[in-house]
């Protein structure tokens, strides 16, 4: 007898977020990939990216033409330090890190009012939702002849 995979609400919900905000097959640049939380309430979506040691200057958040938000970060440690505590470096691997992640945005995101901030090692991107009336303004009826 073959095992049967049952789909419950718990299994279904994460796949919805993979469809809306990208998925695990999204290519990631660099050696590490920070953890990401995605939250939603009635007014907005919120994306939190764990980024200890990063500053606002290390991040770039942009919306491309394909209705995608690209979050990238790059940290360079350009120290001319030859020795540390009387020891010299024989090998130094952790002086550069980068990360890039792309999220497909839901249609109801108000792209003009997206905001991002870094606080205590966490990048938080707020994606406000448009009200249904605002979404209808972008609609246009086409006369059928």
């Amino acid at each position: 007898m073959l095992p049967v995979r049952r789909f419950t609400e718990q299994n279904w919900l994460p796949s919805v977020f993979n469809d809306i905000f990208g998925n695990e097959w999204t290519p990631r640049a660099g050696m590490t990939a920070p953890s990401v939380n995605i939250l939603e309430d009635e007014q907005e979506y919120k994306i939190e990216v764990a980024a200890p040691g990063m500053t606002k200057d290390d991040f770039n958040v942009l919306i491309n033409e394909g209705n995608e938000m690209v979050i990238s970060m790059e940290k360079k440690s350009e120290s001319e330090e030859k020795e540390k505590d009387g020891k010299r470096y024989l090998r130094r691997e952790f002086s550069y890190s980068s990360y890039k992640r792309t999220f497909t945005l839901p249609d109801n995101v108000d792209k003009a009012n997206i905001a991002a901030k870094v606080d205590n090692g966490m990048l938080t991107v707020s994606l406000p939702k448009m009200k249904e009336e605002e979404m209808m303004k972008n609609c246009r009826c086409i006369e059928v002849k």
Side-chain angles (χ1 to χ4, degrees):
M1 179 180 237
L2 294 174
V4 175
R5 183 173 178 184
R6 295 176 190 244
F7 291 98
T8 64
E9 189 172 318
Q10 290 176 333
N11 291 340
W12 175 79
L13 189 59
S15 68
V16 168
F17 285 107
N18 285 339
D19 292 342
I20 293 174
F21 288 103
N23 59 43
E24 294 176 3
W25 299 106
T26 303
R28 297 177 181 159
M31 296 296 288
T32 61
S35 298
V36 174
N37 293 330
I38 300 173
L39 303 115
E40 177 188 17
D41 64 22
E42 290 183 20
Q43 288 81 34
E44 69 179 352
Y45 299 100
K46 195 170 277 192
I47 297 177
E48 300 173 333
V49 180
M54 298 293 206
T55 66
K56 67 178 188 153
D57 297 326
D58 299 324
F59 287 96
N60 186 19
V61 179
L62 65 91
I63 307 297
N64 67 21
E65 294 175 5
N67 199 36
E68 297 173 326
M69 180 176 62
V70 180
I71 297 175
S72 58
M73 61 187 202
E74 182 176 52
K75 183 77 168 177
K76 294 179 184 177
S77 179
E78 299 188 19
S79 173
E80 293 297 320
E81 192 177 340
K82 299 286 187 215
E83 292 188 10
K84 183 176 181 179
D85 299 327
K87 300 174 187 172
R88 66 185 170 91
Y89 288 99
L90 298 177
R91 183 173 181 160
R92 195 171 188 178
E93 293 184 343
F94 54 89
S95 62
Y96 174 83
S97 61
S98 69
Y99 167 79
K100 183 177 182 179
R101 179 106 183 238
T102 302
F103 299 91
T104 301
L105 298 177
D107 292 336
N108 65 340
V109 169
D110 181 0
K111 295 178 196 89
N113 291 309
I114 294 174
K117 70 176 184 173
V118 176
D119 188 33
N120 293 325
M122 177 84 65
L123 170 70
T124 303
V125 182
S126 298
L127 304 137
K129 293 180 179 179
M130 287 190 289
K131 294 184 174 31
E132 191 154 335
E133 308 88 59
E134 294 171 1
M135 290 180 66
M136 294 307 289
K137 288 179 186 176
N138 296 332
C139 294
R140 189 180 99 186
C141 287
I142 307 298
E143 181 183 349
V144 179
K145 296 179 183 183

